[in-house]
Every structure is written in structure tokens, then in C-alpha cells.
Amino acid sequence: MRGKKLRTSEWFPWILVYVFVVAAPVLVMLIGPRPEGRPFLRDFSVAMAFCAMSIVGLQFVLTARIPSLKRPFGSDVVYYFHHRISVVAAGLVLLHLIVLAVDDASTWSLLAFWSAPVRARFAFASLLCLLALVLVSVFRKKLRVEYITWRITHGLLAMGAVAFAMTHMQLVGIYLSLPWKRVLWAAYAAVWIGALAYARVIRPIAMKLRPYEIASITEERGSAWSLRLAPLGHAGARFAPGQFAWITVGRSPFADLEHPFSYSSSAADPGSPVFTIKATGDFTNRIADLDVGIRVYVDGPFGAFSLDRRPAAEEFVFIAGGIGITPMMSMLRTMRDRRDTRRCTLIYAARSLEEMTFREELEGIGEDLNLRLHLVPTVADDEWKGPHGRIGPEILSEILPPSCKEGACEIYLCGPPPMMDAIEALLVRLGVPVQQIHTERFNLA
Ligand SMILES: Cc1cc2nc3c(=O)[nH]c(=O)nc-3n(C[C@H](O)[C@H](O)[C@H](O)COP(=O)(O)OP(=O)(O)OC[C@H]3O[C@@H](n4cnc5c(N)ncnc54)[C@H](O)[C@@H]3O)c2cc1C
């Protein structure tokens, strides 16, 4: 299977729809009767709050993993946007309050929760939820909040922020005087609740109907284990090499305890998917102790990090660090199975040669591919004749094929965040067009 090249017509309409949905409540607000003599600043502040409200509500849609929405952009871009736009929404809500206070300084007194009118209390509660949500998300790692605790509170705070804000709007009522304006907001709320239901009920049901079990567990170099899954009663899901899926191991798909992992197996064999998992934390440290036969649920595939998105490319460069080799492995194994002999280069960095996951297979796979392999251990003994140390400008400019600077190769990069940031910047400095650098970040949250 080769994927189609992405056309502007696939992603641009989504941007237009997003902007329209965020702006529509403001346009609607301006139509119909408004209270006489109401200062412009008050209308302006409400417009900002309405935009913030639409943005926060749309976050439920953005994170519902709706395939047609994720396909054009890729999950990391959608999550990146989700993070940034929530800061914008919180800023708009704060501006809403500040502009109201500029118009009428007595607005500040509404912050005295117990003496404030009920409508203001709801606004205050919504603001607190939104600020807590943004601050805890931005500083989660510094605050040492466990991922799963954060994920549960994140969902609750988001629902609280929206529900309290909706109640505040209803209680203020000025801009919802006409029935069809109320219908518009009811329709918005229905879409948001629908997106939540899709993510929390419909997708888990779909997973439950298509279970898998662990068929084998293989220890790999670099404290990693490969889980080969066997579909139970179905043929498995087709995926593009380089994509990932959310997997739930030994629990109900409704438990919301899933983790994202890239497929490491060939896309030519969707009936036997493999995920290679490095032990790094609570869940991944338990992989080695799992048993064959345990039930697994797979939600996917997702992601745009795939050579199938560039069917016309003549040459590929894969740059992997540590466990970031998994999507590259899937792409290389798929190329081998498809007898795809386009030129490719793999630059693979890890702490040492011993820790290079799939090392033996990589050293042999070149016989079936048009592959140049460069293993770059950070530390190596005197016998090692290849490059070593961190991948810097010298190593990269020596290894990078000349076609990359001429815009004729596609570069795929996946590894630890500091390595990715450094190499992305280096590639740009070396003259590689930015649209040819594709990244997969293993830290969505
Ligand atoms: C698109 C993508 C593809 C990935 N592919 C692979 C792969 O092929 N092989 C591999 O070993 N790792 C992969 N990862 C990383 C893997 O998902 C995390 O290492 C794993 O979820 C950590 O879980 P933990 O409980 O063991 O670690 P913890 O120590 O609990 O968490 C470490 C960090 O991992 C992230 N994390 C934890 N749980 C989740 C979760 N449920 N969902 C999302 N993020 C979480 C959080 O940022 C957290 O701070 C991938 C991540 C992403 C986003």
C-alpha cells in the first residue's frame, strides 16, 4: 500500500471550519437586539469570552482522535495546537475580565466569591478550572504530577471550565435573549458532548469488538521488549509504516489506561502487528513480566509520520535516537517486504552499540534494501571505526546525502526531545528545506 500525497484541499477546509466555528458566536452576538447604551468595551469583552468558550469546547473535538481530522495534520501537530490554543483561550478569558474591569472598576468586586452574585461565581469557578488546567499541564513534570493523575484531572477540569462557563452565560442571559441564539450554543454543546462520547464510549466499544492477544514477547537490545499481537476473530488493522496506536494491555478499553506506541513491524503484515517498548516508567517497566495470551486492545493507527505520505520521494534519510528507532524499523521492514529499492540512509544514535535495539537486523537488512547504515554510539571503544559521540554538524554534514540540500530527499527524525531539537536546527542550518523534515515526538503530553 502506498499512501496518497497530501493535498491542500485535505487540510485547508479544516482550518476554515475551525476559524468559522470559533468566530461564529461573535457574529451571531452582533445580530438582533442588544441592550441600549451598552458600552463597546463590554461587547468587546464578551466577544473574547465567546471565542474562548468555542476554543475550549473544540478541544474535546481535537482530542477525540477523529481519524479524518487527524489524518491531514498528524497527531503531534494536533496535540501541539491543542496545547498552544488552550493558553490563548485562558488569555482571552483573563482579558474578558480585565476589559470588563477597565469599563467598570467595580467588576473586581465580583472576584469576592461568597459575596458575588451567583452568575459571577460560576464565571469565577470556570476561570479557576481553566487556569488550573493550563498551569498544571504546562508545569506537570516540574510539579511531579503523575501522568495518569494529570490525565484524569485534566478531563475533569476541562468539563468543569465549560459547564461553569455555560451556566454563567445562561445566567447573564443578555446575549442569549433570542431562542435561535440559545439553539446555536445548545448545538455547540451537543457537538462537544458528542466528541466526548465518541472518545470515551464509541471508540472503546469499537476496540472491545476487535480484541488482540499477546502472541509473543521478545527481549531486544536497549531494555526493550517486542510485543507481537494476534488479532482475535478479525484480520487486524491496516496501518502505514511509521504510524502509532494507543494500546491497552490487560484492562478494559473503557478504563482509559492506554499508552501510545509506534508499530515496529512491517505494514505488509497487518495481521501480526508488533510494538517494541522500552522500559522507562510505571507501565513500560511491567512489559517484561507480561504473559503470552493476555488481552490487548488497539486504537489506531494514527499519525502522519510515514514514508507513505511522500510516494514520489526518491530518497529517504531516517535519523533515530534510542527507542525512536521503532517507526524507522517499521518503514525499513515495509520497504523490504514491498521490494522498494529507493535509496535510503539510516543514522541511528544510542548510548552504546550494545543498547542499539534491532542492531543485528539492521546490519543485515541492507542486503534487501538500497540502504546506507550509520550507527553512531555516544560512547565506543577503540575498535569502533565508525562515527561516535553526539550527532553534530561534522557527523551530519559528512553523512547527509547531497540530495537533501537540493530538496530531493525526505528526512524522518525521531528520538529524545533534546536530540530532536538539536538535529532539526542543524538540518535547517545545513540548508535542508524545512518541509522535508518530518518528526515524531514520543511526548504528546
Ligand atoms: C506517538 C508516540 C509513539 C511512541 N512510540 C513508542 C515506541 O514505539 N516505543 C516506546 O518504548 N515508547 C514509545 N512512546 C513513548 C511511550 O508512550 C511512553 O514511554 C509510555 O507511555 C510511558 O509510560 P510509563 O507509564 O511507562 O511511563 P511514566 O514514567 O509513567 O511516564 C513517562 C512519560 O511518558 C508519557 N506518558 C505516560 N503515560 C502515557 C500515556 N498513557 N499516554 C501518553 N503519554 C504517556 C508522559 O509524558 C510521562 O511523563 C511513544 C509515544 C508517542 C507519543
Side-chain angles (χ1 to χ4, degrees), residues 140-141 147-148 151 244 246 258-262 276-278 280-285 323 326-327 440-445:
R140 176 176 67 86
K141 288 192 177 150
Y147 178 83
I148 209 68
R151 190 160 157 165
F244 72 95
W246 294 82
E258 50 192 358
H259 291 257
F261 295 102
S262 300
T276 303
I277 299 174
K278 186 178 173 81
T280 53
D282 296 343
F283 169 73
T284 48
N285 279 335
I323 198 62
T326 52
E440 183 74 290
R441 291 187 179 262
F442 279 4
N443 53 336
L444 287 181

mmCIF file of all heavy atoms in Angstrom, residues 140-141 147-148 151 244 246 258-262 276-278 280-285 323 326-327 440-445, ligand 1:
data_model
loop_
_atom_site.group_PDB
_atom_site.id
_atom_site.type_symbol
_atom_site.label_atom_id
_atom_site.label_comp_id
_atom_site.label_asym_id
_atom_site.label_seq_id
_atom_site.Cartn_x
_atom_site.Cartn_y
_atom_site.Cartn_z
ATOM 1 N N ARG A 140 3.454 20.234 34.513
ATOM 2 C CA ARG A 140 3.187 18.895 35.070
ATOM 3 C C ARG A 140 4.473 18.210 35.536
ATOM 4 O O ARG A 140 4.533 17.687 36.642
ATOM 5 C CB ARG A 140 2.485 18.015 34.033
ATOM 6 C CG ARG A 140 2.267 16.581 34.512
ATOM 7 C CD ARG A 140 1.484 15.782 33.500
ATOM 8 N NE ARG A 140 2.203 15.561 32.268
ATOM 9 C CZ ARG A 140 3.055 14.560 32.061
ATOM 10 N NH1 ARG A 140 3.283 13.688 33.013
ATOM 11 N NH2 ARG A 140 3.681 14.425 30.906
ATOM 12 N N LYS A 141 5.487 18.223 34.661
ATOM 13 C CA LYS A 141 6.702 17.483 35.017
ATOM 14 C C LYS A 141 7.416 18.152 36.185
ATOM 15 O O LYS A 141 7.898 17.477 37.088
ATOM 16 C CB LYS A 141 7.611 17.335 33.812
ATOM 17 C CG LYS A 141 6.988 16.335 32.831
ATOM 18 C CD LYS A 141 7.894 15.890 31.735
ATOM 19 C CE LYS A 141 7.163 14.853 30.883
ATOM 20 N NZ LYS A 141 7.552 14.835 29.506
ATOM 21 N N TYR A 147 1.429 11.059 35.333
ATOM 22 C CA TYR A 147 0.695 11.236 34.078
ATOM 23 C C TYR A 147 -0.795 10.898 34.225
ATOM 24 O O TYR A 147 -1.663 11.646 33.791
ATOM 25 C CB TYR A 147 1.323 10.364 32.977
ATOM 26 C CG TYR A 147 0.562 10.469 31.677
ATOM 27 C CD1 TYR A 147 0.796 11.514 30.804
ATOM 28 C CD2 TYR A 147 -0.434 9.555 31.362
ATOM 29 C CE1 TYR A 147 0.076 11.638 29.636
ATOM 30 C CE2 TYR A 147 -1.165 9.673 30.203
ATOM 31 C CZ TYR A 147 -0.904 10.712 29.344
ATOM 32 O OH TYR A 147 -1.633 10.835 28.195
ATOM 33 N N ILE A 148 -1.070 9.772 34.871
ATOM 34 C CA ILE A 148 -2.450 9.289 34.907
ATOM 35 C C ILE A 148 -3.319 10.192 35.801
ATOM 36 O O ILE A 148 -4.462 10.483 35.487
ATOM 37 C CB ILE A 148 -2.501 7.793 35.329
ATOM 38 C CG1 ILE A 148 -3.709 7.115 34.712
ATOM 39 C CG2 ILE A 148 -2.415 7.562 36.784
ATOM 40 C CD1 ILE A 148 -3.628 6.979 33.234
ATOM 41 N N ARG A 151 -4.001 13.166 33.758
ATOM 42 C CA ARG A 151 -4.962 12.929 32.677
ATOM 43 C C ARG A 151 -6.404 12.970 33.206
ATOM 44 O O ARG A 151 -7.292 13.525 32.578
ATOM 45 C CB ARG A 151 -4.662 11.571 32.037
ATOM 46 C CG ARG A 151 -5.428 11.351 30.771
ATOM 47 C CD ARG A 151 -4.778 10.290 29.949
ATOM 48 N NE ARG A 151 -5.751 9.697 29.045
ATOM 49 C CZ ARG A 151 -5.456 8.957 28.023
ATOM 50 N NH1 ARG A 151 -4.208 8.717 27.738
ATOM 51 N NH2 ARG A 151 -6.373 8.449 27.256
ATOM 52 N N PHE A 244 1.467 5.073 14.649
ATOM 53 C CA PHE A 244 1.405 4.522 16.002
ATOM 54 C C PHE A 244 -0.037 4.208 16.377
ATOM 55 O O PHE A 244 -0.968 4.573 15.666
ATOM 56 C CB PHE A 244 2.025 5.495 17.021
ATOM 57 C CG PHE A 244 1.184 6.711 17.291
ATOM 58 C CD1 PHE A 244 0.306 6.749 18.377
ATOM 59 C CD2 PHE A 244 1.242 7.821 16.478
ATOM 60 C CE1 PHE A 244 -0.469 7.871 18.649
ATOM 61 C CE2 PHE A 244 0.467 8.950 16.723
ATOM 62 C CZ PHE A 244 -0.390 8.976 17.809
ATOM 63 N N TRP A 246 -2.692 3.501 20.111
ATOM 64 C CA TRP A 246 -2.827 3.531 21.575
ATOM 65 C C TRP A 246 -3.151 2.110 22.004
ATOM 66 O O TRP A 246 -4.117 1.521 21.496
ATOM 67 C CB TRP A 246 -3.952 4.465 21.994
ATOM 68 C CG TRP A 246 -3.673 5.902 21.678
ATOM 69 C CD1 TRP A 246 -3.845 6.519 20.474
ATOM 70 C CD2 TRP A 246 -3.178 6.902 22.573
ATOM 71 N NE1 TRP A 246 -3.477 7.842 20.555
ATOM 72 C CE2 TRP A 246 -3.069 8.104 21.844
ATOM 73 C CE3 TRP A 246 -2.813 6.904 23.915
ATOM 74 C CZ2 TRP A 246 -2.609 9.288 22.401
ATOM 75 C CZ3 TRP A 246 -2.357 8.089 24.476
ATOM 76 C CH2 TRP A 246 -2.256 9.263 23.728
ATOM 77 N N GLU A 258 -4.551 3.731 28.457
ATOM 78 C CA GLU A 258 -3.841 3.329 27.242
ATOM 79 C C GLU A 258 -2.550 4.131 27.081
ATOM 80 O O GLU A 258 -2.415 5.212 27.655
ATOM 81 C CB GLU A 258 -4.761 3.547 26.039
ATOM 82 C CG GLU A 258 -5.341 4.925 26.051
ATOM 83 C CD GLU A 258 -6.473 5.137 25.076
ATOM 84 O OE1 GLU A 258 -6.817 4.226 24.333
ATOM 85 O OE2 GLU A 258 -6.972 6.263 25.054
ATOM 86 N N HIS A 259 -1.640 3.595 26.278
ATOM 87 C CA HIS A 259 -0.356 4.258 26.024
ATOM 88 C C HIS A 259 -0.082 4.239 24.521
ATOM 89 O O HIS A 259 -0.385 3.252 23.857
ATOM 90 C CB HIS A 259 0.780 3.523 26.733
ATOM 91 C CG HIS A 259 0.715 3.652 28.225
ATOM 92 N ND1 HIS A 259 1.534 4.502 28.937
ATOM 93 C CD2 HIS A 259 -0.090 3.050 29.129
ATOM 94 C CE1 HIS A 259 1.246 4.411 30.218
ATOM 95 N NE2 HIS A 259 0.261 3.538 30.374
ATOM 96 N N PRO A 260 0.543 5.297 23.990
ATOM 97 C CA PRO A 260 0.838 5.312 22.554
ATOM 98 C C PRO A 260 2.170 4.628 22.228
ATOM 99 O O PRO A 260 3.170 4.876 22.902
ATOM 100 C CB PRO A 260 0.917 6.814 22.246
ATOM 101 C CG PRO A 260 1.351 7.451 23.530
ATOM 102 C CD PRO A 260 0.903 6.570 24.660
ATOM 103 N N PHE A 261 2.170 3.780 21.200
ATOM 104 C CA PHE A 261 3.403 3.127 20.741
ATOM 105 C C PHE A 261 3.397 3.047 19.221
ATOM 106 O O PHE A 261 2.363 2.766 18.615
ATOM 107 C CB PHE A 261 3.550 1.721 21.334
ATOM 108 C CG PHE A 261 3.727 1.736 22.826
ATOM 109 C CD1 PHE A 261 2.670 1.427 23.660
ATOM 110 C CD2 PHE A 261 4.939 2.112 23.386
ATOM 111 C CE1 PHE A 261 2.818 1.489 25.040
ATOM 112 C CE2 PHE A 261 5.095 2.176 24.770
ATOM 113 C CZ PHE A 261 4.030 1.865 25.594
ATOM 114 N N SER A 262 4.576 3.246 18.625
ATOM 115 C CA SER A 262 4.693 3.128 17.168
ATOM 116 C C SER A 262 4.720 1.654 16.791
ATOM 117 O O SER A 262 5.291 0.842 17.520
ATOM 118 C CB SER A 262 6.003 3.761 16.699
ATOM 119 O OG SER A 262 6.030 5.116 17.050
ATOM 120 N N THR A 276 7.385 -2.301 19.892
ATOM 121 C CA THR A 276 8.624 -2.513 20.662
ATOM 122 C C THR A 276 8.720 -1.415 21.705
ATOM 123 O O THR A 276 8.711 -0.221 21.372
ATOM 124 C CB THR A 276 9.835 -2.526 19.719
ATOM 125 O OG1 THR A 276 9.600 -3.557 18.755
ATOM 126 C CG2 THR A 276 11.115 -2.814 20.475
ATOM 127 N N ILE A 277 8.766 -1.853 22.955
ATOM 128 C CA ILE A 277 8.546 -0.923 24.073
ATOM 129 C C ILE A 277 9.749 -0.896 25.001
ATOM 130 O O ILE A 277 10.210 -1.940 25.470
ATOM 131 C CB ILE A 277 7.276 -1.380 24.843
ATOM 132 C CG1 ILE A 277 6.073 -1.317 23.880
ATOM 133 C CG2 ILE A 277 7.055 -0.526 26.084
ATOM 134 C CD1 ILE A 277 4.794 -1.879 24.453
ATOM 135 N N LYS A 278 10.254 0.305 25.244
ATOM 136 C CA LYS A 278 11.423 0.452 26.131
ATOM 137 C C LYS A 278 10.928 0.692 27.554
ATOM 138 O O LYS A 278 9.990 1.468 27.778
ATOM 139 C CB LYS A 278 12.263 1.644 25.669
ATOM 140 C CG LYS A 278 13.560 1.802 26.433
ATOM 141 C CD LYS A 278 14.346 2.970 25.868
ATOM 142 C CE LYS A 278 15.556 3.273 26.712
ATOM 143 N NZ LYS A 278 16.687 2.413 26.442
ATOM 144 N N THR A 280 10.715 2.414 30.676
ATOM 145 C CA THR A 280 11.123 3.744 31.159
ATOM 146 C C THR A 280 10.290 4.225 32.341
ATOM 147 O O THR A 280 10.606 5.243 32.929
ATOM 148 C CB THR A 280 10.964 4.813 30.044
ATOM 149 O OG1 THR A 280 9.628 4.735 29.553
ATOM 150 C CG2 THR A 280 11.948 4.649 28.929
ATOM 151 N N GLY A 281 9.176 3.542 32.657
ATOM 152 C CA GLY A 281 8.306 4.080 33.715
ATOM 153 C C GLY A 281 7.334 3.046 34.232
ATOM 154 O O GLY A 281 7.521 1.840 34.034
ATOM 155 N N ASP A 282 6.281 3.535 34.886
ATOM 156 C CA ASP A 282 5.323 2.647 35.581
ATOM 157 C C ASP A 282 4.818 1.517 34.692
ATOM 158 O O ASP A 282 4.906 0.344 35.025
ATOM 159 C CB ASP A 282 4.094 3.460 36.035
ATOM 160 C CG ASP A 282 4.470 4.493 37.059
ATOM 161 O OD1 ASP A 282 5.564 4.356 37.629
ATOM 162 O OD2 ASP A 282 3.671 5.423 37.273
ATOM 163 N N PHE A 283 4.268 1.870 33.550
ATOM 164 C CA PHE A 283 3.656 0.865 32.679
ATOM 165 C C PHE A 283 4.711 0.075 31.908
ATOM 166 O O PHE A 283 4.696 -1.162 31.883
ATOM 167 C CB PHE A 283 2.684 1.559 31.710
ATOM 168 C CG PHE A 283 2.206 0.675 30.607
ATOM 169 C CD1 PHE A 283 1.292 -0.338 30.860
ATOM 170 C CD2 PHE A 283 2.677 0.825 29.305
ATOM 171 C CE1 PHE A 283 0.858 -1.183 29.850
ATOM 172 C CE2 PHE A 283 2.253 -0.014 28.290
ATOM 173 C CZ PHE A 283 1.342 -1.016 28.566
ATOM 174 N N THR A 284 5.646 0.790 31.313
ATOM 175 C CA THR A 284 6.609 0.116 30.435
ATOM 176 C C THR A 284 7.554 -0.819 31.209
ATOM 177 O O THR A 284 8.027 -1.805 30.654
ATOM 178 C CB THR A 284 7.409 1.162 29.633
ATOM 179 O OG1 THR A 284 7.868 2.162 30.535
ATOM 180 C CG2 THR A 284 6.566 1.814 28.568
ATOM 181 N N ASN A 285 7.765 -0.536 32.494
ATOM 182 C CA ASN A 285 8.618 -1.431 33.303
ATOM 183 C C ASN A 285 7.962 -2.789 33.526
ATOM 184 O O ASN A 285 8.635 -3.750 33.896
ATOM 185 C CB ASN A 285 8.919 -0.801 34.677
ATOM 186 C CG ASN A 285 10.039 0.214 34.576
ATOM 187 O OD1 ASN A 285 10.872 0.129 33.674
ATOM 188 N ND2 ASN A 285 10.053 1.181 35.471
ATOM 189 N N ILE A 323 15.011 4.610 21.456
ATOM 190 C CA ILE A 323 13.819 3.844 21.097
ATOM 191 C C ILE A 323 13.073 4.511 19.924
ATOM 192 O O ILE A 323 12.148 3.928 19.350
ATOM 193 C CB ILE A 323 12.899 3.615 22.330
ATOM 194 C CG1 ILE A 323 11.900 2.478 22.079
ATOM 195 C CG2 ILE A 323 12.185 4.886 22.739
ATOM 196 C CD1 ILE A 323 12.513 1.132 21.834
ATOM 197 N N THR A 326 11.845 2.719 16.501
ATOM 198 C CA THR A 326 10.695 1.844 16.182
ATOM 199 C C THR A 326 9.948 2.235 14.895
ATOM 200 O O THR A 326 9.718 1.361 14.047
ATOM 201 C CB THR A 326 9.711 1.730 17.371
ATOM 202 O OG1 THR A 326 9.358 3.035 17.795
ATOM 203 C CG2 THR A 326 10.302 0.950 18.518
ATOM 204 N N PRO A 327 9.569 3.511 14.713
ATOM 205 C CA PRO A 327 8.867 3.820 13.458
ATOM 206 C C PRO A 327 9.751 3.620 12.226
ATOM 207 O O PRO A 327 9.274 3.253 11.154
ATOM 208 C CB PRO A 327 8.448 5.290 13.617
ATOM 209 C CG PRO A 327 9.292 5.829 14.708
ATOM 210 C CD PRO A 327 9.660 4.690 15.590
ATOM 211 N N GLU A 440 8.565 12.758 14.661
ATOM 212 C CA GLU A 440 7.607 12.099 15.547
ATOM 213 C C GLU A 440 8.118 12.286 16.950
ATOM 214 O O GLU A 440 9.246 11.892 17.266
ATOM 215 C CB GLU A 440 7.512 10.601 15.224
ATOM 216 C CG GLU A 440 6.474 9.852 16.049
ATOM 217 C CD GLU A 440 5.032 10.152 15.627
ATOM 218 O OE1 GLU A 440 4.575 11.292 15.879
ATOM 219 O OE2 GLU A 440 4.378 9.272 15.049
ATOM 220 N N ARG A 441 7.324 12.927 17.784
ATOM 221 C CA ARG A 441 7.753 13.158 19.164
ATOM 222 C C ARG A 441 7.033 12.184 20.070
ATOM 223 O O ARG A 441 5.812 12.051 19.985
ATOM 224 C CB ARG A 441 7.492 14.610 19.571
ATOM 225 C CG ARG A 441 8.422 15.549 18.816
ATOM 226 C CD ARG A 441 8.346 16.975 19.270
ATOM 227 N NE ARG A 441 9.310 17.753 18.485
ATOM 228 C CZ ARG A 441 10.526 18.090 18.891
ATOM 229 N NH1 ARG A 441 10.925 17.737 20.090
ATOM 230 N NH2 ARG A 441 11.344 18.771 18.121
ATOM 231 N N PHE A 442 7.791 11.502 20.922
ATOM 232 C CA PHE A 442 7.204 10.496 21.809
ATOM 233 C C PHE A 442 6.629 11.122 23.074
ATOM 234 O O PHE A 442 6.278 10.422 24.005
ATOM 235 C CB PHE A 442 8.259 9.445 22.189
ATOM 236 C CG PHE A 442 8.463 8.387 21.122
ATOM 237 C CD1 PHE A 442 7.803 8.451 19.912
ATOM 238 C CD2 PHE A 442 9.314 7.312 21.342
ATOM 239 C CE1 PHE A 442 7.984 7.490 18.931
ATOM 240 C CE2 PHE A 442 9.500 6.328 20.370
ATOM 241 C CZ PHE A 442 8.835 6.427 19.159
ATOM 242 N N ASN A 443 6.575 12.459 23.120
ATOM 243 C CA ASN A 443 5.984 13.110 24.299
ATOM 244 C C ASN A 443 4.824 14.003 23.865
ATOM 245 O O ASN A 443 4.987 15.192 23.686
ATOM 246 C CB ASN A 443 7.037 13.912 25.071
ATOM 247 C CG ASN A 443 7.789 14.877 24.184
ATOM 248 O OD1 ASN A 443 7.882 14.684 22.980
ATOM 249 N ND2 ASN A 443 8.317 15.930 24.765
ATOM 250 N N LEU A 444 3.639 13.398 23.689
ATOM 251 C CA LEU A 444 2.468 14.177 23.297
ATOM 252 C C LEU A 444 2.006 15.049 24.447
ATOM 253 O O LEU A 444 1.407 16.092 24.236
ATOM 254 C CB LEU A 444 1.319 13.248 22.902
ATOM 255 C CG LEU A 444 1.444 12.505 21.571
ATOM 256 C CD1 LEU A 444 0.216 11.656 21.329
ATOM 257 C CD2 LEU A 444 1.637 13.465 20.418
ATOM 258 N N ALA A 445 2.208 14.555 25.679
ATOM 259 C CA ALA A 445 1.673 15.292 26.836
ATOM 260 C C ALA A 445 2.808 15.850 27.667
ATOM 261 O O ALA A 445 3.890 15.317 27.688
ATOM 262 C CB ALA A 445 0.869 14.339 27.703
HETATM 263 C C1 LIG B 1 3.371 8.879 19.111
HETATM 264 C C2 LIG B 1 4.148 8.114 20.163
HETATM 265 C C3 LIG B 1 4.785 6.936 19.824
HETATM 266 C C4 LIG B 1 5.521 6.239 20.787
HETATM 267 N N1 LIG B 1 6.149 5.100 20.437
HETATM 268 C C5 LIG B 1 6.875 4.443 21.339
HETATM 269 C C6 LIG B 1 7.550 3.226 20.981
HETATM 270 O O1 LIG B 1 7.456 2.743 19.865
HETATM 271 N N2 LIG B 1 8.267 2.587 21.946
HETATM 272 C C7 LIG B 1 8.381 3.085 23.223
HETATM 273 O O2 LIG B 1 9.044 2.474 24.063
HETATM 274 N N3 LIG B 1 7.766 4.245 23.581
HETATM 275 C C8 LIG B 1 7.016 4.920 22.679
HETATM 276 N N4 LIG B 1 6.363 6.067 23.053
HETATM 277 C C9 LIG B 1 6.527 6.559 24.429
HETATM 278 C C10 LIG B 1 5.588 5.806 25.370
HETATM 279 O O3 LIG B 1 4.246 6.093 25.062
HETATM 280 C C11 LIG B 1 5.848 6.221 26.807
HETATM 281 O O4 LIG B 1 7.179 5.913 27.104
HETATM 282 C C12 LIG B 1 4.977 5.454 27.755
HETATM 283 O O5 LIG B 1 3.623 5.795 27.578
HETATM 284 C C13 LIG B 1 5.424 5.791 29.179
HETATM 285 O O6 LIG B 1 4.555 5.163 30.091
HETATM 286 P P1 LIG B 1 5.057 4.719 31.540
HETATM 287 O O7 LIG B 1 3.854 4.575 32.410
HETATM 288 O O8 LIG B 1 5.931 3.555 31.438
HETATM 289 O O9 LIG B 1 5.973 5.892 31.970
HETATM 290 P P2 LIG B 1 5.782 7.041 33.043
HETATM 291 O O10 LIG B 1 7.058 7.167 33.777
HETATM 292 O O11 LIG B 1 4.544 6.897 33.837
HETATM 293 O O12 LIG B 1 5.611 8.285 32.086
HETATM 294 C C14 LIG B 1 6.698 8.872 31.438
HETATM 295 C C15 LIG B 1 6.147 9.913 30.463
HETATM 296 O O13 LIG B 1 5.531 9.227 29.376
HETATM 297 C C16 LIG B 1 4.341 9.915 28.978
HETATM 298 N N5 LIG B 1 3.187 9.027 29.204
HETATM 299 C C17 LIG B 1 2.972 8.194 30.230
HETATM 300 N N6 LIG B 1 1.814 7.557 30.085
HETATM 301 C C18 LIG B 1 1.279 8.000 28.942
HETATM 302 C C19 LIG B 1 0.061 7.722 28.262
HETATM 303 N N7 LIG B 1 -0.828 6.870 28.741
HETATM 304 N N8 LIG B 1 -0.169 8.380 27.116
HETATM 305 C C20 LIG B 1 0.712 9.273 26.624
HETATM 306 N N9 LIG B 1 1.871 9.580 27.214
HETATM 307 C C21 LIG B 1 2.154 8.935 28.359
HETATM 308 C C22 LIG B 1 4.216 11.145 29.849
HETATM 309 O O14 LIG B 1 4.801 12.259 29.196
HETATM 310 C C23 LIG B 1 5.022 10.778 31.059
HETATM 311 O O15 LIG B 1 5.533 11.906 31.733
HETATM 312 C C24 LIG B 1 5.616 6.754 22.111
HETATM 313 C C25 LIG B 1 4.956 7.935 22.454
HETATM 314 C C26 LIG B 1 4.229 8.598 21.494
HETATM 315 C C27 LIG B 1 3.521 9.864 21.892
#
